[in-house]
Amino acid sequence: MSAVEKRRALMNRLKDIWGGQDDMNRVLFLIAVAVFVWSLIEGHGMYGALMAGVVLFLMVSRHGQRLKRFSRLYGTLYFPMPDGEIVPRTFEQVKTEYLHGSQGRYAGRAVELRFPWWYLNSAGEIDTGFGLTVRLAGSAELLDEAKRLRRGDCVRLTGTLVAESKNYFCVGEVETLERISEKDLYPLKKK
């Protein structure tokens, strides 16, 4: 890798980290930078570094809590069965079973997700906000649709669980990506 490619990869990574933060974490980061700069100007750089470190720890903590909250609210994977029944499983259940030897049970299975739009990273992957990655590789039409979505839009997508490794899976081979209303976020609520 050349130096230019390394810099570009680093900038994309930093852009992805910034884009994946909620507004409060962005404000906390800007406050940390401002406190650090102000402390340097005043000649108390160590206090500024300490304060910036505390604020950055708050950011990491908030990010972890947001992941847990989103997982509880929207982290349901809906698996369609051959008889037309939809079986809901939480992302945490599927992840735990997958990590403990059920890769064959889930790899290649059709799945439906419904969640508020969170973020599309520089590699064209959807961050669901609760830890699951959706890859849109190979479909320029779906990627264009994803670029038009804004944070908070409710979306429904169907795809296939793809085994990335023994310890990681994602949703790939996405067939549909569409906006839905907020009342359609929970398909089994009507039943």
Side-chain angles (χ1 to χ4, degrees), residues 4-180:
V4 172
E5 290 172 341
K6 286 181 183 180
R7 269 188 259 132
R8 185 174 295 134
L10 176 65
M11 291 307 294
N12 282 340
R13 180 70 182 134
L14 291 174
K15 182 177 140 188
D16 290 342
I17 289 171
W18 180 257
Q21 300 299 316
D22 62 353
D23 293 334
M24 187 62 189
N25 273 357
R26 290 176 182 175
V27 168
L28 283 172
F29 179 76
L30 294 175
I31 288 171
V33 169
V35 165
F36 182 68
V37 169
W38 180 77
S39 295
L40 284 176
I41 291 170
E42 292 295 317
H44 301 289
M46 189 59 100
Y47 294 125
L50 179 65
M51 186 63 160
V54 168
V55 172
L56 292 175
F57 282 123
L58 284 172
M59 282 180 59
V60 171
S61 173
R62 278 190 42 78
H63 180 73
Q65 292 301 318
R66 183 187 54 80
L67 279 175
K68 288 179 189 175
R69 189 184 70 216
F70 271 39
S71 182
R72 282 192 298 268
L73 291 173
Y74 312 113
T76 303
L77 308 177
Y78 299 97
F79 293 96
M81 294 294 148
D83 62 357
E85 181 183 2
I86 297 175
V87 177
R89 303 282 301 198
T90 66
F91 172 63
E92 292 300 320
Q93 286 174 317
V94 173
K95 184 170 74 170
T96 300
E97 290 178 14
Y98 187 88
L99 290 175
H100 290 93
S102 293
Q103 291 89 358
R105 181 176 175 193
Y106 289 107
R109 292 279 308 270
V111 67
E112 179 181 311
L113 302 170
R114 295 172 185 226
F115 58 95
W117 183 258
W118 183 248
Y119 181 65
L120 180 69
N121 70 17
S122 60
E125 298 172 343
I126 299 171
D127 180 354
T128 59
F130 57 83
L132 182 61
T133 302
V134 179
R135 296 219 166 93
L136 294 176
S139 178
E141 179 182 304
L142 291 175
L143 190 58
D144 289 341
E145 177 65 28
K147 288 178 182 176
R148 287 191 289 269
L149 295 169
R150 297 290 167 239
R151 191 171 282 185
D153 288 348
C154 298
V155 296
R156 174 177 114 28
L157 66 86
T158 57
T160 305
L161 289 182
V162 176
E164 288 293 312
S165 69
K166 183 179 173 187
N167 297 325
Y168 182 69
F169 65 93
C170 67
V171 176
E173 302 173 25
V174 177
E175 297 170 9
T176 63
L177 173 66
E178 61 187 353
R179 279 190 181 106
I180 59 173

